[in-house]
Amino acid sequence: MSPFPFAATQAVLTLAVQSEFDVIASRQRARQIASLCGFTALDQARIATVVSELARNIFNYAVIGTVTFSVTQDNGRQHLMMAVEDRGPGIGNIDEILGGRYRSTTGMGLGILAARRLMDRFDIRTGEDIGTAIFMCKTMPAGTARMTSAAIDKLLSQLDVLPSNVALSEANQQNRELTEALNALQARQDELLIVTARLEETNRRIEALNVQLDQKADALLRADRSKDEFLAILSHELRGPLSAASMAAQLLQAGPDEPDKTAKMSQVISRQVGHMSRLVEDLLDVSRVSRGLVVIDKAPLDIAEVISGAVEQVATAAAGKGHALGVSLPDGPVIVHGDRTRMLQVVSNLLTNAIRYTPDGGRIHVTLEVNVGAMAIRVVDNGIGVHADLMPNLFDLYVQAERTSDRQGGGLGLGLALVKNLVEAHDGTVTAESEGRNRGSTFTVRMPVIEPACSQPA
C-alpha cells in the first residue's frame, strides 16, 4: 500500500526482478512509461536511472523483488509512482545511508540517496522481517492528459517490445543519453566561456575606470591645494595695494592743503588701483575662458606688429628691473588668422612672465620664426627656470614657479593658463622648455600662417 495520502492509485505495470536482464528491462520500461506520460528527456533519464539502481539493489542483496509503476492523483495533479519492493534482509544502517555518512566500496546506498534527491516524493520502509519497500513519486508535467483506466490500457499498448539483445539496446540508449548530456555540457561550457570573456572585459574596464578615478582624485587634490595657495596669494596681492591706497588716503586727509603731498599720494593711489584692476581683469578673463564665454574675433593679422606692440607694453617693466629686452622679427609681415587683442594678451603675458621670473639685469629675447605654413613665437630668458616637477602642470590654473622671499613681481599664477586657452582657441599650441633651476626658460607659441614673411630674421 502506498504511504502517500493520494486520492486514487491505478496500477500500470509490475515487473519481477530476479536477473540482470530484469534490471535492464526495468530501466527501459521506466524510460518508456515516463516518455508516454509526457516527461522531458531529462526527467526520463532521471526516472530510468533511479529505477534501475534500486532494481539492481534487489538483484544484488535480495535476489527477488518487484518494480511497480502506478498513476496517482493529489489536489488535481497526477503523479507517476514507482514502488521497488523485496523480501530480503532489509537495510540495517538506513539512517546512516540517508544521512550521507555511509561509505561502501560496492556502491550500496547511492541509489537510495539519488532517488530521494531526484524524485518529488520519497519514502522507505525496511527491516529484517519485512524486507525493503521504496516508494517514489514524480509529478507529471502540466497539461498531461488524465490517466484513466482506458488511457492506461492505451499506454500499455504503446510500450515497445523489448529487443532480444536488451543489454546492447540499453547500452546504445545510455550512449545516446550520455552524448546528449555531453552536448548540453559543451553548450553550457561555451556559454560560460562567453560570460567569462565578458566578465574579463568588464574587469578590464573597471580597472581602467579605477585608474581614471585615481587620476581624477589626484587631480582634484592638486587642484584643491592649488586653490588654497591661490587664495593665499590673492589675499596678499590685494592686501598690499589696498593698504597702500588706504594709507595714501589717510595722508591726504591729514594734509589736504599740501599740493606736493597730494600729487604723490594721488600717484600712489592710482598705481595701486591700476594693480588691483589688472588682478581683477585677470580673474575675469580666466573665468570667461573657463566657461567658454571668450569671443575670438578672428581676422587677418600681422603677428609681427602684435609682438612689437607687446614689447612696447612691457618695456617700462623690463627697464625697471634692468633687463635687456631684444626682439628679432622677419623683414616682412607674417599674417595669421587671429584676434589682435587676444594675441597681444598672449605675447604680453609671456613677456611679463619672463620679466617677473628673471632676476634684475637679465636678458629676455623674443623671436618670430616662419616655416612652411606655420610660425613660431619664442620668448627666451635667462631667469630662474622651471623645475622638472612643475613642468607637467605649468599651464594649469594657479600654478606658479618658485617666488622670491620678498614676493617680488606679484601675480596670481593665471597668466600661463590664460595663454594656453587663448592659443588653443587660435588652433595653435604653446610649449615650455627649461634645463632646470637658474638655467632660464623658453616658451614657444606655434600657429598656422596665411602669408609667410619675405625673409627670416637675421
Side-chain angles (χ1 to χ4, degrees), residues 20-22 24-26 28 162-172:
E20 183 71 30
F21 174 87
D22 296 333
I24 299 173
S26 69
Q28 292 201 343
L162 294 178
S164 57
N165 194 342
V166 67
L168 179 60
S169 173
E170 180 60 24
N172 289 334

Side-chain angles (χ1 to χ4, degrees), residues 440-451:
S441 306
T442 300
F443 288 83
T444 305
V445 174
R446 292 181 174 85
M447 285 176 53
V449 297
I450 300 175
E451 179 182 336

Side-chain angles (χ1 to χ4, degrees), residues 179-241:
T179 300
E180 292 174 358
L182 289 175
N183 289 337
L185 286 174
Q186 183 63 49
R188 181 58 59 88
Q189 184 179 16
D190 292 342
E191 291 175 2
L192 289 175
L193 288 174
I194 293 173
V195 171
T196 300
R198 289 175 178 171
L199 286 174
E200 289 176 350
E201 177 62 25
T202 301
N203 285 337
R204 284 193 291 270
R205 291 178 180 176
I206 290 174
E207 289 174 359
L209 181 59
N210 285 335
V211 171
Q212 292 179 3
L213 289 175
D214 289 341
Q215 293 173 344
K216 291 290 185 182
D218 290 341
L220 287 173
L221 287 173
R222 289 195 302 270
D224 188 59
R225 286 194 297 269
S226 297
K227 179 258 299 180
D228 292 340
E229 293 172 3
F230 166 74
L231 291 176
I233 294 169
L234 176 61
S235 63
H236 177 88
E237 294 293 340
L238 291 176
R239 187 184 299 115

Side-chain angles (χ1 to χ4, degrees), residues 277-452:
S277 296
R278 287 192 296 274
L279 293 179
V280 172
E281 190 61 35
D282 282 348
L283 286 170
L284 291 174
D285 277 341
V286 169
S287 175
R288 286 190 288 262
V289 169
S290 300
R291 292 181 294 158
L293 300 180
V294 172
V295 178
I296 305 299
D297 187 12
K298 293 183 180 180
L301 172 68
D302 181 5
I303 199 68
E305 184 270 332
V306 169
I307 293 173
S308 298
V311 169
E312 184 178 344
Q313 275 189 8
V314 302
T316 301
K321 294 189 67 176
H323 293 324
L325 181 58
V327 182
S328 297
L329 301 176
D331 293 337
V334 178
I335 307 300
V336 300
H337 198 56
D339 184 318
R340 186 184 187 283
T341 300
R342 294 304 178 181
M343 287 308 301
L344 184 63
Q345 192 174 6
V346 166
V347 180
S348 296
N349 279 3
L350 290 177
L351 288 170
T352 300
N353 202 65
I355 293 168
R356 176 177 298 137
Y357 293 108
T358 299
D360 292 357
R363 297 187 307 277
I364 300 170
H365 199 92
V366 56
T367 303
L368 176 59
E369 301 174 356
V370 184
N371 294 314
V372 178
M375 68 85 189
I377 304 171
R378 284 191 174 83
V379 178
V380 182
D381 65 63
N382 64 341
I384 65 173
V386 181
H387 195 279
D389 293 341
L390 184 63
M391 192 65 75
N393 307 110
L394 189 60
F395 292 95
D396 293 347
L397 281 175
Y398 315 135
V399 173
Q400 290 183 300
E402 292 185 28
R403 299 164 63 90
T404 57
S405 59
D406 62 357
R407 303 183 56 87
Q408 188 176 2
L412 297 176
L414 304 176
L416 291 180
L418 192 58
V419 166
K420 180 177 182 290
N421 282 282
L422 292 177
V423 169
E424 290 178 351
H426 284 80
D427 304 316
T429 61
V430 58
T431 57
E433 300 173 49
S434 178
E435 295 183 3
R437 182 185 296 273
N438 299 322
R439 301 295 296 275
S441 306
T442 300
F443 288 83
T444 305
V445 174
R446 292 181 174 85
M447 285 176 53
V449 297
I450 300 175
E451 179 182 336

